[in-house]
Amino acid sequence: MVSTANRVFQHRNGRKWCMYQNPQVPGFQFEADCIRFIDDLKCSWSPAAQTLTTDADRAAIAAMDGRRFEYHGVGYDHRPMVFRGDGTISAGGAGCERYWTIRGGRLMIAGDDGRLTMDLTATADGGWEGRWVVHEKMGIRLELAA
């Protein structure tokens, strides 16, 4: 058994913290609190937004806040999708559609793990189109909802 009575410092040197899988470390104090902090971080952090934006990208990101689209996985499914200004998808997203950003005028969508899943370009009617860059690589259309 590990004594924790006079602990001044603790460090997970073998099992580093991760956004998704954190095996228990026997004797690690406040581990449940740490897991809750990581869960909070997952809900508010956008790994898709890890590069510097231009003024045009920032304006486009601000314009997307609260915007509603109809998501069409071409030949697969469709559903409503809503984007928040904090880089998260508030409705219609799934594990592979959790975070978003705009870089160089392109809408990039990432999953829970922060990996890019979709790369889309703006359409003349205010929507976006492109494709998944992983899995089945199907075409995607986001049509601006009325």
Side-chain angles (χ1 to χ4, degrees):
M1 180 170 168
V2 177
S3 172
T4 59
N6 296 317
R7 187 171 297 179
V8 175
F9 177 81
Q10 64 181 355
H11 176 68
R12 286 175 63 121
N13 64 338
R15 294 184 174 166
K16 300 292 186 193
W17 293 112
C18 168
M19 288 293 273
Y20 301 97
Q21 293 180 356
N22 292 293
Q24 279 191 307
V25 173
F28 194 92
Q29 287 184 328
F30 309 111
E31 190 168 52
D33 292 328
C34 293
I35 297 295
R36 277 194 301 281
F37 293 141
I38 290 170
D39 288 341
D40 289 347
L41 177 63
K42 281 192 292 193
C43 293
S44 62
W45 179 57
S46 173
Q50 295 305 305
T51 59
L52 297 176
T53 56
T54 64
D55 288 341
D57 289 338
R58 282 191 294 278
I61 289 167
M64 288 285 283
D65 189 16
R67 283 251 158 100
R68 296 177 183 280
F69 292 87
E70 184 70 19
Y71 168 97
H72 293 272
V74 177
Y76 183 68
D77 71 337
H78 65 92
R79 61 186 180 271
M81 188 174 272
V82 180
F83 292 80
R84 288 196 289 210
D86 65 359
T88 60
I89 296 171
S90 64
C96 290
E97 304 134 354
R98 189 72 59 211
Y99 306 103
W100 69 276
T101 192
I102 296 175
R103 294 294 184 271
R106 300 180 78 82
L107 174 61
M108 297 186 294
I109 298 176
D112 284 335
D113 59 4
R115 292 183 188 156
L116 183 66
T117 56
M118 284 181 253
D119 185 4
L120 307 151
T121 57
T123 61
D125 61 1
W128 298 87
E129 66 182 11
R131 66 180 44 260
W132 278 61
V133 296
V134 295
H135 305 302
E136 59 277 336
K137 299 183 180 181
M138 70 181 152
I140 300 295
R141 281 192 337 266
L142 294 177
E143 296 174 358
L144 196 54

PDB file of all heavy atoms in Angstrom, residues 48-67:
ATOM      1  N   ALA A  48      -9.593  21.062 -33.075  1.00  0.00           N
ATOM      2  CA  ALA A  48      -9.555  21.427 -34.490  1.00  0.00           C
ATOM      3  C   ALA A  48      -8.955  22.812 -34.679  1.00  0.00           C
ATOM      4  O   ALA A  48      -8.509  23.148 -35.762  1.00  0.00           O
ATOM      5  CB  ALA A  48     -10.965  21.394 -35.078  1.00  0.00           C
ATOM      6  N   ALA A  49      -8.933  23.622 -33.640  1.00  0.00           N
ATOM      7  CA  ALA A  49      -8.511  25.017 -33.760  1.00  0.00           C
ATOM      8  C   ALA A  49      -7.114  25.238 -33.201  1.00  0.00           C
ATOM      9  O   ALA A  49      -6.913  26.043 -32.313  1.00  0.00           O
ATOM     10  CB  ALA A  49      -9.517  25.915 -33.041  1.00  0.00           C
ATOM     11  N   GLN A  50      -6.129  24.529 -33.731  1.00  0.00           N
ATOM     12  CA  GLN A  50      -4.792  24.607 -33.169  1.00  0.00           C
ATOM     13  C   GLN A  50      -3.807  25.421 -33.991  1.00  0.00           C
ATOM     14  O   GLN A  50      -2.620  25.393 -33.737  1.00  0.00           O
ATOM     15  CB  GLN A  50      -4.244  23.188 -32.959  1.00  0.00           C
ATOM     16  CG  GLN A  50      -5.027  22.420 -31.922  1.00  0.00           C
ATOM     17  CD  GLN A  50      -5.101  23.149 -30.598  1.00  0.00           C
ATOM     18  OE1 GLN A  50      -4.071  23.498 -30.028  1.00  0.00           O
ATOM     19  NE2 GLN A  50      -6.282  23.412 -30.120  1.00  0.00           N
ATOM     20  N   THR A  51      -4.276  26.147 -34.987  1.00  0.00           N
ATOM     21  CA  THR A  51      -3.401  27.007 -35.770  1.00  0.00           C
ATOM     22  C   THR A  51      -3.931  28.433 -35.683  1.00  0.00           C
ATOM     23  O   THR A  51      -5.078  28.662 -35.330  1.00  0.00           O
ATOM     24  CB  THR A  51      -3.354  26.568 -37.245  1.00  0.00           C
ATOM     25  OG1 THR A  51      -4.678  26.621 -37.774  1.00  0.00           O
ATOM     26  CG2 THR A  51      -2.789  25.166 -37.385  1.00  0.00           C
ATOM     27  N   LEU A  52      -3.090  29.386 -36.013  1.00  0.00           N
ATOM     28  CA  LEU A  52      -3.487  30.792 -35.938  1.00  0.00           C
ATOM     29  C   LEU A  52      -4.466  31.125 -37.055  1.00  0.00           C
ATOM     30  O   LEU A  52      -4.299  30.691 -38.200  1.00  0.00           O
ATOM     31  CB  LEU A  52      -2.260  31.688 -36.031  1.00  0.00           C
ATOM     32  CG  LEU A  52      -1.254  31.528 -34.884  1.00  0.00           C
ATOM     33  CD1 LEU A  52      -0.026  32.393 -35.144  1.00  0.00           C
ATOM     34  CD2 LEU A  52      -1.895  31.883 -33.564  1.00  0.00           C
ATOM     35  N   THR A  53      -5.457  31.912 -36.710  1.00  0.00           N
ATOM     36  CA  THR A  53      -6.459  32.306 -37.698  1.00  0.00           C
ATOM     37  C   THR A  53      -6.094  33.645 -38.318  1.00  0.00           C
ATOM     38  O   THR A  53      -5.404  34.465 -37.717  1.00  0.00           O
ATOM     39  CB  THR A  53      -7.839  32.450 -37.040  1.00  0.00           C
ATOM     40  OG1 THR A  53      -7.743  33.374 -35.966  1.00  0.00           O
ATOM     41  CG2 THR A  53      -8.346  31.130 -36.536  1.00  0.00           C
ATOM     42  N   THR A  54      -6.602  33.876 -39.500  1.00  0.00           N
ATOM     43  CA  THR A  54      -6.490  35.184 -40.138  1.00  0.00           C
ATOM     44  C   THR A  54      -7.695  36.015 -39.709  1.00  0.00           C
ATOM     45  O   THR A  54      -8.659  35.486 -39.139  1.00  0.00           O
ATOM     46  CB  THR A  54      -6.495  35.038 -41.673  1.00  0.00           C
ATOM     47  OG1 THR A  54      -7.767  34.503 -42.064  1.00  0.00           O
ATOM     48  CG2 THR A  54      -5.379  34.121 -42.156  1.00  0.00           C
ATOM     49  N   ASP A  55      -7.681  37.296 -40.019  1.00  0.00           N
ATOM     50  CA  ASP A  55      -8.838  38.143 -39.713  1.00  0.00           C
ATOM     51  C   ASP A  55     -10.078  37.618 -40.437  1.00  0.00           C
ATOM     52  O   ASP A  55     -11.171  37.585 -39.869  1.00  0.00           O
ATOM     53  CB  ASP A  55      -8.573  39.597 -40.127  1.00  0.00           C
ATOM     54  CG  ASP A  55      -7.564  40.291 -39.215  1.00  0.00           C
ATOM     55  OD1 ASP A  55      -7.332  39.801 -38.086  1.00  0.00           O
ATOM     56  OD2 ASP A  55      -7.000  41.318 -39.646  1.00  0.00           O
ATOM     57  N   ALA A  56      -9.920  37.195 -41.687  1.00  0.00           N
ATOM     58  CA  ALA A  56     -11.054  36.669 -42.453  1.00  0.00           C
ATOM     59  C   ALA A  56     -11.593  35.389 -41.816  1.00  0.00           C
ATOM     60  O   ALA A  56     -12.809  35.199 -41.735  1.00  0.00           O
ATOM     61  CB  ALA A  56     -10.636  36.410 -43.902  1.00  0.00           C
ATOM     62  N   ASP A  57     -10.695  34.512 -41.348  1.00  0.00           N
ATOM     63  CA  ASP A  57     -11.139  33.277 -40.689  1.00  0.00           C
ATOM     64  C   ASP A  57     -11.890  33.599 -39.395  1.00  0.00           C
ATOM     65  O   ASP A  57     -12.926  32.999 -39.115  1.00  0.00           O
ATOM     66  CB  ASP A  57      -9.956  32.359 -40.375  1.00  0.00           C
ATOM     67  CG  ASP A  57      -9.343  31.729 -41.613  1.00  0.00           C
ATOM     68  OD1 ASP A  57     -10.022  31.645 -42.652  1.00  0.00           O
ATOM     69  OD2 ASP A  57      -8.166  31.306 -41.523  1.00  0.00           O
ATOM     70  N   ARG A  58     -11.386  34.543 -38.611  1.00  0.00           N
ATOM     71  CA  ARG A  58     -12.065  34.918 -37.360  1.00  0.00           C
ATOM     72  C   ARG A  58     -13.457  35.461 -37.641  1.00  0.00           C
ATOM     73  O   ARG A  58     -14.410  35.153 -36.932  1.00  0.00           O
ATOM     74  CB  ARG A  58     -11.219  35.910 -36.563  1.00  0.00           C
ATOM     75  CG  ARG A  58     -10.073  35.255 -35.811  1.00  0.00           C
ATOM     76  CD  ARG A  58      -9.409  36.204 -34.830  1.00  0.00           C
ATOM     77  NE  ARG A  58      -8.731  37.313 -35.483  1.00  0.00           N
ATOM     78  CZ  ARG A  58      -7.510  37.251 -35.998  1.00  0.00           C
ATOM     79  NH1 ARG A  58      -6.826  36.136 -35.937  1.00  0.00           N
ATOM     80  NH2 ARG A  58      -6.968  38.304 -36.564  1.00  0.00           N
ATOM     81  N   ALA A  59     -13.593  36.258 -38.681  1.00  0.00           N
ATOM     82  CA  ALA A  59     -14.915  36.795 -39.047  1.00  0.00           C
ATOM     83  C   ALA A  59     -15.844  35.656 -39.476  1.00  0.00           C
ATOM     84  O   ALA A  59     -17.020  35.630 -39.097  1.00  0.00           O
ATOM     85  CB  ALA A  59     -14.776  37.832 -40.157  1.00  0.00           C
ATOM     86  N   ALA A  60     -15.339  34.712 -40.243  1.00  0.00           N
ATOM     87  CA  ALA A  60     -16.151  33.578 -40.693  1.00  0.00           C
ATOM     88  C   ALA A  60     -16.550  32.690 -39.519  1.00  0.00           C
ATOM     89  O   ALA A  60     -17.676  32.195 -39.459  1.00  0.00           O
ATOM     90  CB  ALA A  60     -15.384  32.771 -41.742  1.00  0.00           C
ATOM     91  N   ILE A  61     -15.645  32.500 -38.562  1.00  0.00           N
ATOM     92  CA  ILE A  61     -15.946  31.714 -37.363  1.00  0.00           C
ATOM     93  C   ILE A  61     -17.052  32.393 -36.564  1.00  0.00           C
ATOM     94  O   ILE A  61     -18.011  31.750 -36.133  1.00  0.00           O
ATOM     95  CB  ILE A  61     -14.676  31.488 -36.523  1.00  0.00           C
ATOM     96  CG1 ILE A  61     -13.730  30.516 -37.235  1.00  0.00           C
ATOM     97  CG2 ILE A  61     -15.016  30.997 -35.118  1.00  0.00           C
ATOM     98  CD1 ILE A  61     -12.335  30.452 -36.655  1.00  0.00           C
ATOM     99  N   ALA A  62     -16.934  33.705 -36.384  1.00  0.00           N
ATOM    100  CA  ALA A  62     -17.959  34.453 -35.639  1.00  0.00           C
ATOM    101  C   ALA A  62     -19.320  34.352 -36.335  1.00  0.00           C
ATOM    102  O   ALA A  62     -20.353  34.219 -35.673  1.00  0.00           O
ATOM    103  CB  ALA A  62     -17.539  35.913 -35.482  1.00  0.00           C
ATOM    104  N   ALA A  63     -19.322  34.380 -37.651  1.00  0.00           N
ATOM    105  CA  ALA A  63     -20.577  34.295 -38.404  1.00  0.00           C
ATOM    106  C   ALA A  63     -21.234  32.923 -38.292  1.00  0.00           C
ATOM    107  O   ALA A  63     -22.442  32.791 -38.490  1.00  0.00           O
ATOM    108  CB  ALA A  63     -20.325  34.630 -39.875  1.00  0.00           C
ATOM    109  N   MET A  64     -20.467  31.889 -37.959  1.00  0.00           N
ATOM    110  CA  MET A  64     -21.007  30.526 -37.842  1.00  0.00           C
ATOM    111  C   MET A  64     -21.697  30.291 -36.499  1.00  0.00           C
ATOM    112  O   MET A  64     -22.453  29.333 -36.358  1.00  0.00           O
ATOM    113  CB  MET A  64     -19.890  29.488 -37.996  1.00  0.00           C
ATOM    114  CG  MET A  64     -19.348  29.353 -39.397  1.00  0.00           C
ATOM    115  SD  MET A  64     -20.435  28.459 -40.508  1.00  0.00           S
ATOM    116  CE  MET A  64     -20.147  26.770 -39.984  1.00  0.00           C
ATOM    117  N   ASP A  65     -21.462  31.148 -35.508  1.00  0.00           N
ATOM    118  CA  ASP A  65     -22.010  30.938 -34.163  1.00  0.00           C
ATOM    119  C   ASP A  65     -23.538  30.862 -34.205  1.00  0.00           C
ATOM    120  O   ASP A  65     -24.202  31.807 -34.619  1.00  0.00           O
ATOM    121  CB  ASP A  65     -21.560  32.051 -33.225  1.00  0.00           C
ATOM    122  CG  ASP A  65     -21.904  31.771 -31.774  1.00  0.00           C
ATOM    123  OD1 ASP A  65     -22.206  30.612 -31.435  1.00  0.00           O
ATOM    124  OD2 ASP A  65     -21.851  32.720 -30.974  1.00  0.00           O
ATOM    125  N   GLY A  66     -24.079  29.708 -33.820  1.00  0.00           N
ATOM    126  CA  GLY A  66     -25.513  29.500 -33.787  1.00  0.00           C
ATOM    127  C   GLY A  66     -26.129  29.144 -35.122  1.00  0.00           C
ATOM    128  O   GLY A  66     -27.341  28.931 -35.217  1.00  0.00           O
ATOM    129  N   ARG A  67     -25.325  29.068 -36.165  1.00  0.00           N
ATOM    130  CA  ARG A  67     -25.850  28.755 -37.494  1.00  0.00           C
ATOM    131  C   ARG A  67     -26.349  27.328 -37.566  1.00  0.00           C
ATOM    132  O   ARG A  67     -25.739  26.410 -37.047  1.00  0.00           O
ATOM    133  CB  ARG A  67     -24.760  28.919 -38.554  1.00  0.00           C
ATOM    134  CG  ARG A  67     -24.498  30.360 -38.913  1.00  0.00           C
ATOM    135  CD  ARG A  67     -24.942  30.649 -40.113  1.00  0.00           C
ATOM    136  NE  ARG A  67     -25.369  31.462 -41.072  1.00  0.00           N
ATOM    137  CZ  ARG A  67     -24.677  31.927 -42.074  1.00  0.00           C
ATOM    138  NH1 ARG A  67     -23.406  31.675 -42.185  1.00  0.00           N
ATOM    139  NH2 ARG A  67     -25.246  32.646 -42.981  1.00  0.00           N
TER     140      ARG A  67
END
